[in-house]
Amino acid sequence: MPQFVRLKFLLAGTALTGLLYLSGCNQSGEINTTVDAETANASFERYKERFLDSLWYYNPEWASNQGYHRYDSVLVIPTAARRRGDIKALVRRGKELATFKPTDLSVNNQTDWRLLQNYVQAGRWQLDTLRDWQWNPANYNLGSSVAEILNGRYWPLDRRLRAISNKISRSAEYYAAAEASIQEPTKEHTELAIRQNEGGLAVFGKALQDSIAKSGLTAREKEDFKNRIDNTRLSTEEYLRFLKTEVLPAGKFRNFRLGKALFDRKFYYDIQSSYTADQVYEKALQHRAELLRDMKTRATRLYPKYFPGKPLPSDSLATVKQMISRLSEQHATQAGFVAAVKAQIPQLVQFVNDKKLLTQDPTKPLVVRETPLYMRGSGAGASISAPGPYDKAANTYYNVEPLTGQPAAQAESYLREYNDYTLQILNIHEAIPGHYTQLVYANRSPSLIKSVFGNGAMIEGWAVYAERVMLESGYGGNTDEIWLMWDKWNMRVTLNTILDHEVHVNNISEQAAKALLLRDGFQEEAEATNKWRRATLSQVQLSSYFTGYTEIYDVREELKKTQGTNFDLKSFHETFLSFGSSPVKYIRTLMVKKS
């Protein structure tokens, strides 16, 4: 399943020192043990505002990603002193949150309190236990943050360029600190860092130079800017030299696998599910068997249509494989892949409107583009880059990695995986009514906390749920063909969870992992190779799709049962999405209260 790349849970910086110990404290500094609900909620609302104000000051890249551009010119230098300050700040945040009693707060504010608490606890754990700042060199890439500012629309060009110029003025310090931070990295993340920083160099090329030339910057500003670009390119190249000639040849790599203890804890913080990692793994194993049964039934019905006169294979799995292979022959051309994605978007908009699945907002732009070079290499063929709640009018980019330049056999394998059936499901997932639609709704949430601290499992789970609800509503004509290919697609979601657990907990080999994807997932070789790469570069994220989807579907079925004839699908969707990108377990609580 293509990776969603919008959310960046960066850590709070030295941070939030301007925050006061708020609700529950009197003027003498003592904590009040009894407060009325109105006072408690008012105090917590003020606290949230100050929390975010300081959060953005110390996390400028995350702020930019959320559409808060006041600090675009600030570059955080990832030094050891900075990390020590981060930990101290997170300890202070935990103490501040403890001054509130969640039971004194409204249900909405209780959810926000828990999201902030999870952020604080996860931040400390990431810094002092997971320590990926030490073993993941791909964390450091100036090209990405600069490109986001350059491509933005929130400020006039000159102001954006001045922000970039100030940001990159400390590029040498930034990459020197990055080098000092790296100790015993993984080989896989080192190779990713090389590829993405090489792509990042392109950000400081012709497009940026042309923008400077046509800008209203003074001659002195332009000269300083060009010198800073030269220095940034040199600093990036020095970082690349360090990775290529010192880190890689030394061969002192840690294993990319987390192990059970770290995997379980990361699952707890990242997914925020009502289920444990082990429970989700068991549910995925069960769902795999259910999907296989349905695939066998549908493939058996379709076989005489596509193989007239031929007897059914004695092995039902062979029947499924032959049917999927035949249907996969229908696909876009190598050169026309990105164009094929663009062509489908209006059809999805029309179907959602016709079926009244939810209300869409035509004023929010969706731009299909080729994935920028600095974002390539993670194994995700498609992704969404959406604006944050502070910049709601900005473009949402649907990033599609082009196939031009790939060997013909490799491209053909990829196109068979994203054939005429599954390409439609991909576009539902990434665009409408999947990620793009959900994130438009998230930006409307009255709670910035629920939008800012968005939960990846809810976001990915909604996109998977969107695929199912479109087919349930008749998209694709309710044929065995579209349902068989959705089964295959949903099997990918299911196997994502199984693979994630097998890789990081059970130490499955690359050969065995690919065999699992090819056999049980009926995947093409290119897809299996890309998925293995993703499993080595990410942890827990592959489990988010199935977990979120399962929980969302459970909530819907629960409310259908309790509301009976009063249940309305459109109302369910719009109410569910109105709570931002909260963990599904909290949305369930909010929706049960509403009903």
Side-chain angles (χ1 to χ4, degrees):
M1 188 63 56
Q3 188 176 21
F4 174 71
V5 298
R6 169 186 176 262
L7 296 176
K8 300 177 181 178
F9 285 92
L10 307 182
L11 295 170
T14 49
L16 308 172
T17 51
L19 285 172
L20 303 174
Y21 286 81
L22 300 170
S23 166
C25 294
N26 59 29
Q27 289 184 343
S28 67
E30 296 175 348
I31 297 177
N32 294 325
T33 57
T34 58
V35 291
D36 63 77
E38 185 176 351
T39 300
N41 282 292
S43 293
F44 190 65
E45 290 294 339
R46 292 193 295 272
Y47 178 80
K48 290 190 294 185
E49 290 178 11
R50 279 189 276 262
F51 190 107
L52 289 174
D53 284 346
S54 293
L55 181 69
W56 300 144
Y57 179 79
Y58 289 100
N59 293 271
E61 185 173 344
W62 188 7
S64 297
N65 179 261
Q66 294 293 305
Y68 190 90
H69 299 289
R70 183 177 178 183
Y71 304 116
D72 281 0
S73 61
V74 178
L75 178 64
V76 173
I77 309 301
T79 61
R82 170 67 190 222
R83 288 188 289 273
R84 288 193 295 271
D86 289 343
I87 292 174
K88 290 179 181 178
L90 290 166
V91 171
R92 290 195 295 272
R93 301 296 75 75
K95 291 179 179 178
E96 290 164 1
L97 283 167
T99 66
F100 297 94
K101 289 177 63 178
T103 52
D104 291 336
L105 303 174
S106 67
V107 176
N108 266 300
N109 272 334
Q110 286 179 33
T111 300
D112 286 357
W113 185 91
R114 291 187 177 95
L115 289 171
L116 293 179
Q117 183 191 50
N118 185 78
Y119 166 74
V120 167
Q121 293 176 344
R124 287 192 62 188
W125 179 80
Q126 288 166 359
L127 280 169
D128 57 27
T129 303
L130 185 64
R131 301 169 71 88
D132 68 336
W133 51 266
Q134 191 175 67
W135 50 260
N136 182 4
N139 280 331
Y140 311 107
N141 183 353
L142 268 181
S144 175
S145 58
V146 168
E148 294 299 322
I149 298 172
L150 181 63
N151 294 332
R153 304 190 310 172
Y154 47 90
W155 280 341
L157 176 63
D158 289 1
R159 188 170 178 180
R160 282 182 280 133
L161 290 175
R162 289 189 177 101
I164 293 172
S165 182
N166 287 330
K167 179 181 281 288
I168 67 174
S169 66
R170 302 183 67 191
S171 58
E173 295 174 71
Y174 173 84
Y175 277 114
E179 288 187 25
S181 298
I182 295 168
Q183 299 175 39
E184 198 177 359
T186 78
K187 182 180 180 182
E188 293 76 12
H189 289 93
T190 302
E191 292 171 344
L192 177 65
I194 290 170
R195 179 167 181 176
Q196 292 190 334
N197 272 277
E198 287 175 341
L201 283 172
V203 174
F204 302 100
K206 187 176 185 301
L208 182 55
Q209 298 282 1
D210 289 346
S211 295
I212 295 170
K214 71 179 182 182
S215 73
L217 271 59
T218 67
R220 177 61 183 270
E221 286 178 317
K222 290 179 179 179
E223 184 64 27
D224 287 345
F225 201 165
K226 290 178 180 177
N227 288 335
R228 289 170 178 174
I229 289 173
D230 290 342
N231 289 335
T232 298
R233 291 186 65 88
L234 287 173
S235 299
T236 307
E237 288 166 353
E238 167 56 27
Y239 184 57
L240 286 166
R241 183 208 61 77
F242 164 73
L243 296 176
K244 291 177 179 179
T245 66
E246 295 185 34
V247 175
L248 281 180
K252 296 180 180 179
F253 300 114
R254 62 159 276 168
N255 196 317
F256 65 83
R257 305 174 195 271
L258 286 190
K260 181 169 175 54
L262 288 178
F263 183 85
D264 286 354
R265 203 62 183 163
K266 194 169 194 297
F267 182 95
Y268 174 81
Y269 286 130
D270 288 7
I271 305 299
Q272 300 182 70
S273 173
S274 55
Y275 301 120
T276 65
D278 285 344
Q279 287 172 331
V280 168
Y281 174 66
E282 292 299 325
K283 282 180 174 291
L285 292 174
Q286 178 182 341
H287 190 58
R288 175 178 65 175
E290 294 168 355
L291 284 172
L292 278 174
R293 284 195 294 271
D294 192 63
M295 293 172 83
K296 290 174 183 177
T297 299
R298 294 183 186 278
T300 300
R301 285 202 297 256
L302 286 170
Y303 197 85
K305 176 180 175 181
Y306 288 88
F307 300 95
K310 291 186 64 177
L312 275 172
S314 57
D315 181 358
S316 57
L317 284 179
T319 305
V320 175
K321 186 172 183 179
Q322 286 185 38
M323 275 308 314
I324 288 174
S325 180
R326 175 60 61 89
L327 295 176
S328 299
E329 293 172 1
Q330 306 170 43
H331 58 69
T333 65
Q334 182 174 356
F337 182 66
V338 177
V341 170
K342 289 181 180 179
Q344 285 184 7
I345 302 302
Q347 301 168 22
L348 299 177
V349 172
Q350 189 64 47
F351 185 87
V352 170
N353 289 338
D354 290 345
K355 295 295 182 177
K356 297 181 173 58
L357 297 180
L358 46 73
T359 302
Q360 301 186 84
D361 187 347
T363 69
K364 304 302 181 188
L366 174 63
V367 179
V368 181
R369 68 176 180 181
E370 294 187 1
T371 304
L373 292 173
Y374 60 84
M375 290 173 59
R376 299 183 191 180
S378 65
S383 64
I384 285 286
S385 297
Y390 294 95
D391 192 18
K392 301 174 185 178
N395 291 339
T396 296
Y397 291 103
Y398 182 0
N399 309 301
V400 183
E401 200 153 331
L403 304 181
T404 51
Q406 287 191 12
Q410 181 179 335
E412 174 65 16
S413 177
Y414 189 88
L415 288 165
R416 286 178 60 85
E417 186 70 29
Y418 294 94
N419 53 67
D420 287 353
Y421 295 99
T422 51
L423 185 61
Q424 296 177 75
I425 300 170
L426 169 69
N427 290 331
I428 292 169
H429 180 103
E430 295 292 340
I432 297 164
H435 286 322
Y436 159 74
T437 303
Q438 184 266 318
L439 292 166
V440 169
Y441 269 84
N443 281 345
R444 297 178 189 162
S445 172
S447 167
L448 278 172
I449 298 298
K450 290 181 179 67
S451 294
V452 167
F453 295 94
N455 176 255
M458 180 274 172
I459 293 166
E460 294 296 355
W462 171 265
V464 177
Y465 168 79
E467 304 159 15
R468 176 166 182 160
V469 81
M470 287 284 278
L471 266 65
E472 286 177 336
S473 302
Y475 185 84
N478 203 33
T479 63
D480 277 330
E481 285 89 343
I482 191 72
W483 276 107
L484 175 62
M485 297 307 272
W486 181 81
D487 280 348
K488 174 184 182 295
W489 186 270
N490 196 250
M491 181 67 84
R492 289 173 59 180
V493 169
T494 308
L495 291 180
N496 278 352
T497 294
I498 295 171
L499 179 67
D500 203 19
H501 199 276
E502 292 289 352
V503 166
H504 291 287
V505 176
N506 296 337
N507 298 317
I508 193 173
S509 68
E510 179 178 1
Q511 182 180 8
K514 287 183 177 178
L516 170 71
L517 299 174
L518 293 170
R519 182 190 69 246
D520 289 5
F522 307 97
Q523 295 179 11
E524 296 289 331
E525 182 70 35
E527 177 64 21
T529 298
N530 283 339
K531 191 56 60 66
W532 168 258
R533 183 183 303 118
R534 275 188 64 185
T536 67
L537 295 173
S538 67
Q539 317 88 28
V540 171
Q541 196 274 338
L542 282 172
S543 297
S544 63
Y545 304 88
F546 178 78
T547 308
Y549 161 68
T550 300
E551 291 191 297
I552 293 170
Y553 188 78
D554 287 349
V555 172
R556 189 188 79 174
E557 295 306 291
E558 177 184 357
L559 290 175
K560 282 175 69 174
K561 186 175 181 179
T562 59
Q563 295 176 5
T565 57
N566 292 324
F567 179 83
D568 178 76
L569 188 61
K570 181 179 181 183
S571 176
F572 167 78
H573 292 156
E574 294 183 348
T575 304
F576 185 90
L577 294 178
S578 72
F579 296 112
S581 300
S582 303
V584 180
K585 65 180 180 180
Y586 298 145
I587 295 179
R588 178 194 171 277
T589 300
L590 293 166
M591 292 192 74
V592 168
K593 286 281 184 183
K594 269 183 170 286
S595 65

